[in-house]
Amino acid sequence: MVKILYLLDCYPQLYCPGQLNMYFSKKAFVWCMLHSCYSSLVLFFIPWGAIQDTVRDDGRDIADYQSFASLAQTCLLVVVSAQLCLDTYYWTTVNHFFVWGSLAAYFAITFTMYSNGMFLIFTSIFPFIGTARNSLNQPNAWLTMFLTSLLCVLPVVALRFILMQIRPTINDRVRYKMQKDTLPAPPPRRPVRRVSTRRSGYAFSHSQGYGALVTSERFLFKRPIKSRLAFSVQPDGPLARNLPQVFRPIAEELHESQSSKS
Amino acid sequence: MGKAKDRTGPLARRPDNSAFKQQRLPAWSPMLTANTVLPFFYLLALMCLLLGVWLLLTVQSTQELKLDYTDLGSCSECYELRKNVSYAEQGCRCKVEFYIDQTFKGDVFFYYGLRNFHQNLRRYMDSRDDAQTVGRESQLKNPSTYCEPFIKDKDGVPIAPCGAVANSMFNDSFSFNYQTSSGHIMPVPLLRKGLTWYTDKNIKFRNPKTGNQTLAQVFEGTRQPLYWQKPVYDLDPSDPTNNGFINEDLIVWMREAAFPNFKKLYGILNRAGDPFTHGLPKGNYSIQISYNFPVQPFQGRKLVVLTTLTWFGGQNLFLPIAYLVTSSLILLMAVVLTVAWWKFGKDGKNMKE
């Protein structure tokens, strides 16, 4: 997050896609709809073709309504998770936990809903008993899922890659640059310790400032206080002159604070 | 500056300076670069090709025979007879012959198939009572209203099993015969059990508790569905584990098919005795069919399917062909991507600001 804010500072052109409505426009919506139509067709017809004239390896039914529904649903979950993985740019442990966790939760909930206990307690609500156990142990089902996810996800990857080669957006350029030259850690914007009064919050440049206080007789004839307190102002500092402050990196500041001590 | 100092005063509510709360967690930021995407595509194309070829070889090793007997040979008379509902009580038998030119090696599975029968119609699928078929006493004589209008007969006696699904149960029966080389006709033994899922047979379908009554006595006060010829406790009187609601043919039928053209397991070849120890030998076969199920009202067709199986299932060429087509598409995409990368993006020449 800190990195993103730093990037926005260094590359203000990153604001352009938002201002030009690149990612939320009628064109983007139409693309999204086309993509979903295609995915829906794939998610129905590939399981349909795979299941329609097949049986399990022991001859029993797999072409029944409940198995087909369960297979189509699982294909959908896999495709959605794969798409989510594609769209996640920063993989932290939290992301890993939620992505794999939601897949695991789906299987856990499915097997629970299709379990014997649920059927015996709530018979009319959970009629899909045994479906997951009997259809998901078939290699046929997993091969169908693999094919469906390939057909749904690979066009997206290919399209993104081609657009990155032919018409890279500012986002792509910045990410490429970031990966190529591993940038140093961004310098901290302001230190936490307020040793030097030069680094007090910029918010004070919006307010009236302490000019009146500083130029009053209370301060003029006293030595400037080496302060550890926040919010005190040096008499000859820019704030005293009601001018905005300029930030300095740490090294220079330490040198200055040492000089102010002496 | 310790945290203790911050607990009071203006900075009391400041979040902890931990990596999690300050969003400084270590992160992996993947990016679509040429040296990950391109080999990935080529590898996937190769994998799909190998999978497609392997599946194709597996499917080609199965043998299948489909026989549409709706109006074949002598069954056309039965077909005409069944067009008229008033002759529904009258039995009709017909005989169909076929020839197997190559031995069916291994286990052979016998299916009956229907075309254009929409078991996936929503009102049809709702018309059942799972609580009755799981053996609940309270539901036996008081089935759920979802079964309307197949819930009571004209005298108000409740129907068991109720609903349109059970009512339309497939009731043709087959007996297969094999003509040996010496001209002797011998019946093909079929195993008519072990046709259902374990969960269906043992949990989803249960007879009501009998105690010291017979099954017929337990079902006293109920009637068979209107289109059935036998009551539910007479479906297989010789075998109590196959009688009543747990009859395998009933269970197989009650598992509604997803599509209008489907097949359901009827029996498995019993390979105990000669000449069926290695499968179905080649030769002439005939089927004696008890033709009861009318298909003309919905322009349906009836079939008999004999097939051998592999770990992949029966003879369904869709997935192998789909994999091969996908592999060629992925290869095409990979070539296009390589050309695009070579011309436009190699060494980052498109990323110049």
Side-chain angles (χ1 to χ4, degrees):
Chain A
M1 195 59 186
V2 175
K3 225 174 185 180
I4 293 174
L5 293 173
Y6 167 71
L7 282 173
L8 286 173
D9 258 0
C10 288
Y11 299 101
Q13 307 97 308
L14 284 172
Y15 285 108
C16 289
Q19 292 175 336
L20 294 170
N21 254 347
M22 257 177 65
Y23 297 130
F24 197 74
S25 58
K26 286 199 200 83
K27 184 163 163 248
F29 180 70
V30 167
W31 265 117
C32 192
M33 268 216 354
L34 286 175
H35 178 223
S36 10
C37 285
Y38 167 74
S39 299
S40 312
L41 290 172
V42 165
L43 280 168
F44 181 79
F45 283 107
I46 302 290
W48 169 79
I51 290 280
Q52 60 149 341
D53 199 15
T54 310
V55 288
R56 280 165 47 113
D57 54 6
D58 53 8
R60 298 173 188 161
D61 228 348
I62 201 180
D64 61 297
Y65 183 85
Q66 295 179 346
S67 303
F68 173 69
S70 147
L71 176 68
Q73 188 180 21
T74 314
C75 284
L76 170 71
L77 256 294
V78 168
V79 164
V80 165
S81 303
Q83 185 72 37
L84 193 76
C85 293
L86 259 189
D87 282 333
T88 306
Y89 284 146
Y90 286 97
W91 280 90
T92 61
T93 38
V94 177
N95 290 84
H96 277 290
F97 173 72
F98 277 101
V99 171
W100 311 126
S102 65
L103 263 182
Y106 165 74
F107 282 109
I109 292 175
T110 302
F111 276 91
T112 308
M113 273 175 34
Y114 301 173
S115 63
N116 302 354
M118 279 298 181
F119 173 74
L120 292 171
I121 301 171
F122 303 107
T123 309
S124 51
I125 302 176
F126 295 108
F128 275 48
I129 173 183
T131 308
R133 276 173 277 175
N134 282 295
S135 62
L136 289 184
N137 65 357
Q138 296 295 303
N140 201 340
W142 292 101
L143 286 169
T144 313
M145 274 184 241
F146 181 57
L147 182 67
T148 317
S149 42
L150 280 184
L151 282 175
C152 283
V153 169
L154 286 184
V156 176
V157 173
L159 194 68
R160 287 189 188 178
F161 185 75
I162 282 206
L163 285 179
M164 213 158 66
Q165 304 304 311
I166 298 180
R167 257 185 268 161
T169 62
I170 183 68
N171 294 324
D172 299 325
R173 281 188 230 260
V174 168
R175 290 189 80 203
Y176 175 78
K177 202 167 178 346
M178 273 181 62
Q179 289 224 328
K180 210 170 64 118
D181 348 300
T182 42
L183 290 158
R189 312 188 77 183
R190 46 190 80 82
V192 176
R193 300 175 305 133
R194 297 196 185 280
V195 174
S196 162
T197 55
R198 278 188 173 271
R199 303 284 318 235
S200 39
Y202 69 89
F204 289 103
S205 62
H206 299 169
S207 64
Q208 203 184 6
Y210 291 92
L213 176 67
V214 162
T215 51
S216 73
E217 288 184 39
R218 263 188 78 192
F219 282 90
L220 273 180
F221 299 115
K222 283 191 179 170
R223 286 186 62 203
I225 304 165
K226 177 190 78 174
S227 78
R228 281 200 186 83
L229 299 170
F231 315 139
S232 60
V233 179
Q234 277 206 344
D236 54 331
L239 273 188
R241 290 173 265 144
N242 282 334
L243 291 171
Q245 295 188 117
V246 176
F247 299 106
R248 310 281 180 101
I250 296 180
E252 215 183 81
E253 181 194 292
L254 276 175
H255 166 72
E256 280 195 3
S257 71
Q258 273 166 13
S259 65
S260 73
K261 276 182 206 176
S262 52
Chain B
M1 213 155 196
K3 280 189 196 165
K5 196 171 169 186
D6 289 347
R7 287 288 172 234
T8 56
L11 301 174
R13 291 202 326 254
R14 191 167 64 180
D16 301 337
N17 192 15
S18 64
F20 179 70
K21 292 199 179 166
Q22 297 299 328
Q23 302 193 25
R24 287 195 309 259
L25 286 173
W28 169 56
S29 179
M31 197 168 132
L32 291 178
T33 54
N35 57 0
T36 47
V37 170
L38 294 177
F40 179 66
F41 269 71
Y42 284 112
L43 197 68
L44 269 182
L46 182 67
M47 217 161 78
C48 284
L49 180 73
L50 291 175
L51 259 177
V53 166
W54 180 37
L55 290 179
L56 192 67
L57 291 175
T58 312
V59 169
Q60 300 280 40
S61 71
T62 59
Q63 294 154 295
E64 192 185 65
L65 179 101
K66 279 191 175 152
L67 191 63
D68 184 339
Y69 70 89
T70 321
D71 47 12
L72 185 70
S74 55
C75 292
S76 53
E77 295 156 15
C78 290
Y79 178 65
E80 297 297 328
L81 183 74
R82 290 289 169 237
K83 280 186 190 175
N84 197 339
V85 137
S86 48
Y87 297 126
E89 297 275 321
Q90 200 176 345
C92 187
R93 298 185 66 85
C94 62
K95 185 168 150 180
V96 169
E97 285 170 2
F98 61 94
Y99 176 73
I100 293 183
D101 53 2
Q102 234 191 351
T103 307
F104 276 35
K105 292 201 196 61
D107 280 320
V108 184
F109 296 81
F110 293 72
Y111 298 85
Y112 63 86
L114 276 171
R115 288 204 193 288
N116 207 27
F117 188 93
H118 290 257
Q119 260 196 328
N120 53 1
L121 191 69
R122 193 182 148 267
R123 289 282 307 275
Y124 177 91
M125 287 180 64
D126 278 347
S127 180
R128 59 191 289 162
D129 189 4
D130 286 329
Q132 191 189 50
T133 45
V134 85
R136 299 236 169 100
E137 305 282 349
S138 52
Q139 296 283 98
L140 182 63
K141 301 209 176 80
N142 192 13
S144 136
T145 49
Y146 274 102
C147 287
E148 292 278 356
F150 304 96
I151 187 172
K152 287 185 175 17
D153 71 351
K154 57 183 181 336
D155 302 320
V157 180
I159 296 178
C162 74
V165 189
N167 192 39
S168 57
M169 184 167 134
F170 189 78
N171 47 8
D172 281 8
S173 57
F174 312 98
S175 66
F176 294 81
N177 296 305
Y178 170 56
Q179 189 178 30
T180 55
S181 40
S182 54
H184 170 60
I185 308 268
M186 65 183 298
V188 176
L190 285 189
L191 294 167
R192 299 273 281 120
K193 290 175 63 174
L195 313 174
T196 56
W197 293 1
Y198 175 85
T199 44
D200 276 357
K201 173 91 177 179
N202 294 294
I203 297 162
K204 192 164 185 189
F205 289 84
R206 297 266 85 203
N207 280 326
K209 283 203 178 42
T210 45
N212 51 4
Q213 295 175 300
T214 63
L215 201 59
Q217 286 168 330
V218 171
F219 279 102
E220 198 117 7
T222 65
R223 250 212 71 176
Q224 72 210 44
L226 299 174
Y227 289 5
W228 285 22
Q229 287 113 2
K230 292 183 281 192
V232 71
Y233 49 81
D234 260 346
L235 287 174
D236 191 357
S238 58
D239 187 353
T241 62
N242 198 26
N243 205 5
F245 288 145
I246 53 176
N247 176 266
E248 304 237 356
D249 289 323
L250 174 66
I251 296 176
V252 160
W253 179 258
M254 294 290 279
R255 179 148 286 283
E256 294 116 335
F259 308 114
N261 305 334
F262 58 87
K263 61 180 191 268
K264 288 187 184 285
L265 191 55
Y266 182 78
I268 309 172
L269 178 68
N270 187 347
R271 291 165 55 191
D274 259 345
F276 305 113
T277 41
H278 299 292
L280 270 187
K282 71 178 198 177
N284 286 309
Y285 289 81
S286 64
I287 320 176
Q288 292 279 5
I289 304 172
S290 169
Y291 197 114
N292 296 313
F293 197 78
V295 287
Q296 188 271 336
F298 53 89
Q299 289 97 48
R301 309 291 298 175
K302 293 195 282 191
L303 339 149
V304 164
V305 182
L306 279 69
T307 178
T308 56
L309 298 179
T310 59
W311 61 266
F312 186 65
Q315 193 165 80
N316 185 354
L317 284 165
F318 176 82
L319 215 53
I321 294 181
Y323 265 105
L324 290 173
V325 168
T326 307
S327 137
S328 49
L329 285 176
I330 297 178
L331 187 64
L332 188 69
M333 254 197 292
V335 166
V336 166
L337 291 180
T338 314
V339 164
W341 168 71
W342 191 271
K343 282 195 70 177
F344 294 101
K346 195 162 157 45
D347 300 328
K349 54 186 176 225
N350 62 335
M351 294 294 191
K352 301 268 184 292
E353 290 172 49

